Amino acid sequence: MRELYDRCLESCPPEEAASFFLLYGKVEEKYGLTKRALGVYEQMCTVVPADEKYTAYQLYIAKTIQHIGITATRPIYERAIAGLEDSPAAKICGEYAKMEASLHEIDRARTAYVYGAQLADPRRNPEYWGEWHEFEVS
């Protein structure tokens, strides 16, 4: 089964690969190993087109939290920030900061907001700046 999915994904155009990655990931979660399933989702994040990468990273992060735990998502957030364009990367920075704040890692959360501020234009993304303001005030 794995070989079939691997061969399919080798020849599949990136625009249509997301659905195959999702099916492959579900099969691995149900019948295979969690580590393999997470590897499939990680690969999906690098293959899908730029407009689908944000969603792919969100899924990968959610599955990692579900199977391994919230602290295991730190390197995934960092790869997502590096691999996304500015606007979605700023959203991921905000999510990363909220995750760190929920763990009472205030310095890490602040660092994520500071980095995301370089990517978020205040005129186009006032929500980001509002979140950061709320974080600092509370």
Side-chain angles (χ1 to χ4, degrees):
M1 187 68 110
R2 288 183 182 125
E3 188 175 327
L4 181 64
Y5 275 109
D6 288 336
R7 291 181 78 198
C8 175
L9 290 170
E10 284 176 10
S11 59
C12 185
E15 298 80 29
E16 299 177 17
S19 58
F20 291 106
F21 276 112
L22 293 173
L23 291 171
Y24 188 14
K26 286 180 184 179
V27 166
E28 285 294 350
E29 283 183 70
K30 189 170 184 178
Y31 302 108
L33 301 170
T34 301
K35 185 176 180 179
R36 279 187 176 270
L38 293 177
V40 168
Y41 295 129
E42 180 178 13
Q43 184 183 2
M44 178 176 66
C45 293
T46 61
V47 172
V48 297
D51 61 330
E52 296 178 20
K53 283 189 183 212
Y54 175 75
T55 307
Y57 274 112
Q58 283 186 310
L59 175 68
Y60 182 30
I61 289 167
K63 294 292 185 178
T64 301
I65 291 170
Q66 177 184 354
H67 294 296
I68 299 176
I70 196 163
T71 57
T73 61
R74 286 180 175 136
I76 301 168
Y77 275 112
E78 291 165 6
R79 284 194 300 271
I81 292 165
L84 291 170
E85 295 174 7
D86 286 355
S87 181
K91 281 186 193 177
I92 287 283
C93 283
E95 294 169 16
Y96 187 22
K98 288 177 189 173
M99 184 271 295
E100 291 293 359
S102 74
L103 297 173
H104 303 290
E105 293 282 354
I106 304 305
D107 290 335
R108 283 178 178 262
R110 185 171 289 118
T111 302
Y113 276 124
V114 168
Y115 187 82
Q118 299 170 36
L119 308 170
D121 183 358
R123 295 169 297 203
R124 294 186 187 172
N125 197 347
E127 301 87 26
Y128 180 86
W129 295 89
E131 287 175 18
W132 188 9
H133 177 75
E134 283 297 315
F135 167 77
E136 292 294 348
V137 170
S138 62

